[in-house]
């Protein structure tokens, strides 16, 4: 049986910047209209040749370098994504071969909760098989959004974030909680392209391959479910909101984030966010924010770090890490 430590981390974001001024001009709205609704000033958008896998590969390589490992050292690869390289095989197959991963590989699609789901899954694997694990969250939702859809276009950005877990006698997870409510599957969806509605010329003509969102339903349930999972995780860990040192939520929308903080009593001064610079990068948002906080020297040993996310489905999850670990 084994705990884990986070030995490496890395990010990859496209060079191409799309500002809210540029996007507002295209959509016929002002920059202030966009920023006031979501808190995003700019986002990174993939260029020709960049894909979910290419971003994942770069982030994974940087995380491995930071950990002083290579793909040959990795026993398990988990790629969290809702914008796969293609329908088959899994995106992890492309990352696996590019990085020379020695062990297993699979994808997790829990939408924007994907990184939290993957981290909990990896912790379970580590207990049974104490060897290094690479987790990558990568999404390119700019490619799934109708460019005329104001509600989604203003939110999405592309990117990838990765962490390497290595075995440790200590455990870093103080508590965790995962959940789902499949009855909410219509709140954010891409209806065409799967077995229920295979892609045809007609589905493309109707734009059914684009993502569609029910913004009000997402907002209400995102707040409700994230508040619930945060409270359950803190209760399980037997800590209060005042004990938490850093809060890294899914970077979805500043209104949602602020509402979650208000309803939980978490201190806004402890918030880690890069939403204004990257937008909503889905499965990548939490690991990108975590990596930037680490590179900035913000997180120290002994700190309690709360990760919390929600996604289409709907799914939700939270993990409380004690950075540096605590002996079991």
């Amino acid at each position: 049986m084994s705990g884990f430590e986070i030995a490496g981390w890395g990010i990859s974001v496209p060079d191409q910047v799309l500002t809210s001024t540029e996007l507002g001009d295209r959509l016929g709205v002002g920059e202030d209209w966009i920023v006031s609704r979501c808190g995003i000033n700019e986002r990174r958008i993939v260029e020709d040749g960049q894909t979910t896998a290419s971003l994942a590969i770069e982030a994974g390589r940087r995380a491995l370098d930071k950990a002083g490992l290579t793909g040959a050292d990795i026993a398990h690869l988990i790629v969290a994504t809702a914008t796969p390289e293609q329908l088959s095989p899994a995106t992890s197959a492309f990352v696996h071969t590019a990085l020379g991963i020695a062990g297993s590989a699979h994808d997790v699609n829990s939408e924007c909760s994907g990184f939290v789901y993957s981290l909990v899954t990896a912790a379970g694997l580590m207990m049974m098989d104490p060897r290094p694990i690479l987790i990558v969250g990568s999404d390119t939702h700019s490619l799934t959004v109708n460019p005329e859809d104001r509600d989604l276009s203003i939110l999405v950005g592309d990117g990838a974030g990765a962490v390497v877990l290595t075995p440790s006698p200590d455990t870093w997870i103080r508590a965790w909680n995962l959940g789902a409510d499949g009855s909410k599957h219509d709140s954010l969806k891409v209806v065409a392209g799967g077995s229920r509605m295979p892609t045809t010329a007609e589905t493309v003509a109707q734009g059914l391959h684009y993502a569609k969102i029910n913004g009000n339903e997402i907002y209400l349930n995102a707040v409700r479910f994230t508040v619930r999972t945060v409270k359950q995780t803190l209760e399980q860990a037997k800590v209060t909101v005042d004990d938490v040192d850093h809060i890294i939520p899914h970077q979805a929308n500043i209104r949602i984030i602020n509402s979650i903080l208000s309803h939980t009593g978490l201190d806004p001064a402890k918030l880690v966010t890069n939403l204004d610079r990257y937008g909503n990068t889905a499965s990548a948002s939490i690991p990108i924010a975590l990596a930037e906080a680490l590179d900035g020297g913000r997180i120290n040993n002994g700190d309690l770090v709360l990760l919390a996310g929600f996604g289409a489905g709907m799914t939700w999850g939270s993990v409380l890490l004690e950075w540096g670990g605590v002996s079991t």
Side-chain angles (χ1 to χ4, degrees):
M1 307 291 281
S2 178
F4 70 85
E5 62 182 25
I6 295 178
W9 54 88
I11 72 171
S12 176
V13 294
D15 291 332
Q16 181 174 214
V17 176
L18 177 61
T19 68
S20 289
T21 300
E22 295 167 326
L23 186 56
D25 289 344
R26 192 184 82 195
L27 296 172
V29 298
E31 177 188 11
D32 291 345
W33 186 90
I34 296 175
V35 175
S36 66
R37 278 161 176 74
C38 60
I40 300 170
N41 294 309
E42 59 185 42
R43 67 283 293 148
R44 303 296 183 93
I45 304 298
V46 289
E47 301 178 79
D48 289 345
Q50 290 184 307
T51 67
T52 295
S54 72
L55 295 178
I57 291 163
E58 185 60 30
R61 182 174 289 116
R62 289 173 177 171
L64 287 170
D65 288 346
K66 175 79 75 172
L69 301 175
T70 69
D73 300 307
I74 299 300
H76 305 286
L77 165 68
I78 304 174
V79 175
T81 186
T83 55
E85 193 78 351
Q86 55 194 54
L87 284 179
S88 180
T91 301
S92 57
F94 299 92
V95 180
H96 186 278
T97 187
L99 294 180
I101 301 296
S104 70
H106 72 274
D107 284 11
V108 170
N109 181 356
S110 301
E111 267 285 356
C112 303
S113 302
F115 181 78
V116 174
Y117 267 68
S118 298
L119 184 59
V120 173
T121 299
L125 277 172
M126 185 69 75
M127 292 180 66
M128 296 181 289
D129 181 10
R131 294 183 293 163
I133 299 173
L134 174 62
I135 306 172
V136 187
S138 184
D139 271 306
T140 53
H141 270 294
S142 71
L143 302 176
T144 71
V145 172
N146 186 330
E148 304 305 317
D149 182 344
R150 291 193 313 185
D151 291 340
L152 276 174
S153 290
I154 66 174
L155 295 174
V156 298
D158 303 327
V163 296
V164 174
L165 309 187
T166 54
S168 168
D170 299 334
T171 178
W172 284 35
I173 291 185
R174 288 282 298 271
W176 60 272
N177 175 266
L178 300 178
D181 183 350
S183 70
K184 304 293 189 296
H185 60 82
D186 276 340
S187 57
L188 178 59
K189 59 189 177 182
V190 179
V191 297
S195 62
R196 172 179 283 193
M197 186 181 293
T199 302
T200 64
E202 183 179 355
T203 65
V204 173
Q206 294 179 24
L208 299 179
H209 59 296
Y210 289 129
K212 298 184 183 300
I213 188 173
N214 181 329
N216 288 335
E217 185 173 334
I218 283 286
Y219 179 92
L220 292 173
N221 287 317
V223 173
R224 179 162 63 98
F225 292 140
T226 307
V227 168
R228 177 192 299 175
T229 188
V230 165
K231 288 183 176 179
Q232 290 177 344
T233 291
L234 296 183
E235 288 172 4
Q236 181 187 344
K238 295 181 172 57
V239 300
T240 71
V241 292
D242 295 331
D243 296 317
V244 175
D245 295 296
H246 310 285
I247 305 145
I248 307 181
H250 166 46
Q251 311 285 306
N253 178 314
I254 197 61
R255 289 182 171 182
I256 291 176
I257 291 174
N258 286 338
S259 187
I260 291 167
L261 295 177
S262 174
H263 283 85
T264 56
L266 289 163
D267 184 353
K270 299 175 179 179
L271 175 66
V272 177
T273 180
N274 53 26
L275 178 69
D276 60 320
R277 293 181 289 115
Y278 295 131
N280 181 343
T281 55
S283 299
S285 75
I286 290 177
I288 289 176
L290 174 62
E292 288 197 330
L294 288 166
D295 287 337
R298 182 166 176 177
I299 298 174
N300 300 301
N301 279 352
D303 286 355
L304 290 182
V305 182
L306 177 65
L307 314 179
F310 64 90
M314 285 187 72
T315 64
W316 58 88
S318 57
V319 175
L320 184 67
L321 301 176
E322 181 164 346
W323 205 263
V326 58
S327 297
T328 55

